[in-house]
Amino acid sequence: MLSKLIGVGWPWAAVGVAAAAMVSRARAVGALLALGGAVLGYYASDLALGVYTFIDFSDPRANSDPMSARTSVAWSDAIRDAARWLFVAVVVSVPLGQVAGALNRTDGWGLLARLFLPIGAAMESFGIRLPSELAVQPSPVSVATHTIIGIAGVVATAVLMTRHLAASTTWAGRHTRPPRARRKRTICSDVQVSCEGANGGGERSGD
């Protein structure tokens, strides 16, 4: 199952977002370093496992005894593939850093940032991986893996949206104030300068 996860896109995006979220500044640099290290580690493991090792058919033993024949490593292919994905890491590090920076926001942008990975996992699993797997002879492990990932992405999306709506409703209820009652003001007539002055004048005239 681990090999199925390494071959899809959303775990790589998760590595970049997680690395960018761990730093307070230069989040794009954090995402780039994490993705670049993951890419180099991936192709180093491929070289160690012999993915780029081929039998040298110029060796006379290649046809009679391939196991003892001379082998060669396709360094140019390995370097080309690693450089291509390093370029992709450079391109996506900036948006992944922006996503990581918005994870703690409580507005709509924060919700979109938190939905980035689960929606991406669900769309990739149900929209790309499963159809391509079912188009040929399907592997039960691959079908089960992508199905579980897709369902988990849908469930996580629903949970995050529900929590965001509940938090927004609670916040709106706490910050909604009743309208203030208007105070009634005593208005004196045009002849009187003030109510107090009018009452005082009446007392003096009585004396």
Side-chain angles (χ1 to χ4, degrees):
M1 183 177 291
L2 181 59
S3 62
K4 304 300 179 183
L5 295 178
I6 295 177
V8 296
W10 70 266
W12 293 87
V15 170
V17 172
M22 293 179 183
V23 296
S24 57
R25 297 181 179 179
R27 297 185 186 275
V29 176
L32 176 59
L33 292 176
L35 289 175
V39 168
L40 293 177
Y42 178 85
Y43 284 99
S45 65
D46 277 354
L47 287 170
L49 293 174
V51 175
Y52 291 95
T53 301
F54 302 94
I55 297 176
D56 187 359
F57 285 97
S58 62
D59 189 344
R61 295 172 297 178
N63 294 324
S64 59
D65 189 7
M67 298 299 298
S68 61
R70 185 173 57 250
T71 59
S72 61
V73 178
W75 289 103
S76 59
D77 293 343
I79 294 174
R80 183 192 64 235
D81 294 342
R84 179 178 59 192
W85 287 107
L86 284 174
F87 175 76
V88 174
V90 172
V91 173
V92 302
S93 60
V94 174
L96 292 181
Q98 296 293 327
V99 170
L103 288 175
N104 293 326
R105 295 179 57 166
T106 57
D107 56 1
W109 291 111
L111 175 62
L112 290 177
R114 291 186 289 274
L115 292 178
F116 173 73
L117 287 176
I119 289 180
M123 292 180 62
E124 184 175 12
S125 297
F126 289 142
I128 300 175
R129 302 299 174 179
L130 272 179
S132 62
E133 185 70 29
L134 296 175
V136 294
Q137 185 175 359
S139 168
V141 176
S142 298
V143 172
T145 300
H146 296 309
T147 301
I148 293 172
I149 293 173
I151 294 175
V154 172
V155 172
T157 299
V159 171
L160 290 173
M161 292 184 66
T162 302
R163 290 181 61 183
H164 179 78
L165 292 176
S168 300
T169 303
T170 302
W171 184 91
R174 290 178 179 177
H175 291 77
T176 300
R177 296 180 178 178
R180 295 181 178 178
R182 294 184 178 180
R183 296 179 179 177
K184 295 182 179 180
R185 301 176 61 182
T186 303
I187 303 176
C188 299
S189 61
D190 296 338
V191 178
Q192 296 170 327
V193 178
S194 65
C195 296
E196 182 180 358
N199 294 333
E203 293 176 357
R204 287 193 297 268
S205 60
D207 295 338

